[in-house]
Amino acid sequence: MNNLKLPLKDMEKEITQLESFIKSDIDARELKRAIAVRMAVEGKFYHEISKILGVSEFFVGHWKKQFQTKGIEGIKLGHKGSKGYLTALQKTEVIEWLKNKEYWNLDELVTYVEREFGVSYKSKQSYYELFGRAKVSWKKTQKINPKFDEELVKKNPEEINNILFKNKAGIESGQIIVLFIDECHLLHGDLTGYVWGQSKIRIEVPITNEKDRQTYFGALNYQSKEFHVQSHPSGDGKSTVKFIKYLQDKYKNRKIILIWDGASYHKYGEFRDFLLEVNGDKEPDEWSITCILFAPNAPQQNPVEDIWLQAKNFLRKYWYLCRSFKIVKFLFEFFTNEHKFDFPKINKYNCTEKIN
């Protein structure tokens, strides 16, 4: 949505009025209204203003209209006719309005209450109470992958378990080693998080560059629960081949089953050439290395993800030791490498029975 441009003379007059109001001693809510209206008068698109100020397009349009019909008085708090409270019936109406919305915005609520009932609260707490009565709370947004397929995620562990069951004899005898694989890109900025500290003192962690980065490859042994870690310059085909060769050397003369995600460098390029070399013309049952994929877009299936999280929480717990990224990497490797990890996510994979 956009506003129709005014004649230049009228626009300059309105901008002058708004600038004078903005520079005066006004409430923060009035300031936001005035800035939104000024940007609209100057010809900015509503969606641009919405993004810059963190308000709704409805907010911009409403206060622009108020300004055009009532002037500066229209965007002031408590302009003529404004009441100081909502009646019980009006509160019920506001709460129902909130309950029927899909998205919520404080500025929109403020505007709605003033527009519909002529009420402008001095304290934001009054608006928070309306949100609370409508069962709307302030919360952190959660990531979700739109490509996530719940049916595939449910089916995938069954397929993995059936492959493990097929290789039960070799796994139990130690002739076949099953490894869960994943990569972690550790950033210096991962060190920051919630810690205990005195209420009035800031907890400051020395970080020269929060984007300092180290890539790690990790392999969790399904049988022994032992975890192997190696650092590499990056997550790519070349580093993947080096890490798998390291695991081959650790488990000499044994077949290896790798269970990991479908990253392109796990399936193509240098690693594919490497697989063709080590497996040659052998039948699948005789392959030196067999790869099994987790369901796509489902990192939560991989138990190694939990180990990375534990390691990062360990760093945050001992943040006061981390005076440099070199120390961060040392502690990360100390926590992970050659240690044993056992938790429910590992135990959902088993080779003891076939799942139909």
Side-chain angles (χ1 to χ4, degrees):
M1 186 184 292
N2 195 7
N3 64 308
L4 296 174
K5 283 200 171 184
L6 294 167
L8 183 60
K9 193 172 182 180
D10 291 341
M11 184 174 74
E12 289 177 346
K13 181 180 177 182
E14 290 192 345
I15 289 175
T16 300
Q17 290 177 334
L18 289 163
E19 282 183 347
S20 177
F21 183 58
I22 289 168
K23 290 176 182 177
S24 63
D25 184 19
I26 58 177
D27 182 89
R29 288 169 289 178
E30 293 175 324
L31 179 62
K32 185 176 284 190
R33 294 173 188 177
I35 293 173
V37 173
R38 175 182 167 163
M39 293 171 76
V41 169
E42 288 176 335
K44 282 193 178 294
F45 288 100
Y46 285 9
H47 68 85
E48 292 178 317
I49 302 170
S50 173
K51 193 172 182 180
I52 293 169
L53 298 181
V55 298
S56 65
E57 292 183 32
F58 167 82
F59 175 94
V60 180
H62 173 74
W63 291 113
K64 179 172 172 286
K65 184 177 179 181
Q66 288 291 101
F67 173 71
Q68 289 177 333
T69 56
K70 301 176 183 176
I72 293 295
E73 290 300 316
I75 57 176
K76 285 183 178 180
L77 290 176
H79 61 269
K80 189 175 181 180
S82 175
K83 297 184 296 184
Y85 62 90
L86 291 170
T87 65
L89 186 61
Q90 289 171 336
K91 284 183 179 179
T92 300
E93 189 173 334
V94 173
I95 291 164
E96 286 303 310
W97 175 76
L98 286 170
K99 285 181 176 179
N100 287 310
K101 290 179 63 62
E102 291 185 15
Y103 308 101
W104 297 268
N105 180 294
L106 176 60
D107 289 316
E108 190 173 358
L109 174 59
V110 172
T111 304
Y112 174 80
V113 170
E114 184 163 1
R115 185 194 70 203
E116 297 296 324
F117 307 106
V119 172
S120 178
Y121 288 119
K122 291 182 179 180
S123 170
K124 288 185 179 179
Q125 187 59 40
S126 298
Y127 298 106
Y128 297 153
E129 288 173 3
L130 290 170
F131 275 134
R133 290 183 61 181
K135 307 298 182 186
V136 176
S137 60
W138 181 256
K139 56 179 67 178
K140 184 178 180 181
T141 56
Q142 303 294 319
K143 294 184 292 185
I144 184 171
N145 191 327
K147 295 182 179 179
F148 179 83
D149 189 323
E150 191 170 347
E151 285 303 311
L152 277 178
V153 171
K154 183 179 179 181
K155 186 178 179 182
N156 185 254
E158 298 176 1
E159 294 174 347
I160 292 175
N161 283 337
N162 287 337
I163 294 172
L164 297 181
F165 177 78
K166 181 181 177 181
N167 291 279
K168 177 181 176 181
I171 293 171
E172 292 183 343
S173 69
Q175 290 303 304
I176 298 177
I177 302 298
V178 179
L179 298 166
F180 296 98
I181 308 285
D182 194 36
E183 300 85 44
C184 172
H185 306 293
L186 179 67
L187 299 174
H188 203 168
D190 289 334
L191 188 59
T192 58
Y194 288 97
V195 298
W196 292 106
Q198 293 184 6
S199 301
K200 297 182 179 180
I201 299 178
R202 286 174 53 129
I203 305 298
E204 297 179 338
V205 183
I207 298 177
T208 305
N209 182 0
E210 65 177 354
K211 293 184 179 180
D212 281 338
R213 170 175 170 146
Q214 177 63 62
T215 295
Y216 290 98
F217 280 70
L220 177 63
N221 186 311
Y222 163 76
Q223 295 100 311
S224 69
K225 308 300 187 291
E226 188 176 9
F227 194 56
H228 313 295
V229 174
Q230 262 197 342
S231 61
H232 286 272
S234 60
D236 55 24
K238 183 178 180 180
S239 297
T240 302
V241 170
K242 283 185 177 180
F243 184 59
I244 302 307
K245 284 183 176 179
Y246 156 76
L247 294 173
Q248 280 185 300
D249 187 61
K250 184 169 284 290
Y251 297 107
K252 284 185 172 69
N253 303 317
R254 282 177 277 184
K255 296 177 184 177
I256 295 177
I257 295 177
L258 305 178
I259 307 177
W260 55 7
D261 62 42
S264 59
Y265 53 84
H266 291 169
K267 300 183 291 184
Y268 308 113
E270 293 184 40
F271 185 72
R272 180 179 62 181
D273 295 340
F274 169 72
L275 272 187
L276 290 172
E277 181 185 331
V278 297
N279 289 334
D281 297 327
K282 298 174 185 175
E283 293 296 319
D285 288 346
E286 297 301 319
W287 284 350
S288 299
I289 297 177
T290 299
C291 299
I292 304 173
L293 299 182
F294 287 113
N297 307 300
Q300 70 276 15
Q301 283 194 310
N302 194 337
V304 179
E305 291 281 354
D306 288 16
I307 297 175
W308 299 140
L309 179 60
Q310 288 182 37
K312 289 179 181 181
N313 285 337
F314 174 78
L315 294 176
R316 292 167 190 142
K317 183 177 181 180
Y318 295 101
W319 61 271
Y320 49 86
L321 299 176
C322 301
R323 298 299 175 185
S324 68
F325 192 50
K326 183 177 180 180
I327 297 174
V328 171
K329 292 188 289 184
F330 170 79
L331 290 174
F332 187 86
E333 293 167 21
F334 168 79
F335 180 85
T336 56
N337 202 23
E338 305 303 329
H339 286 193
K340 291 190 175 184
F341 294 88
D342 193 6
F343 37 82
K345 190 176 286 188
I346 304 174
N347 299 328
K348 76 177 180 179
Y349 299 104
N350 69 81
C351 65
T352 59
E353 58 180 307
K354 183 175 182 179
I355 301 175
N356 296 319

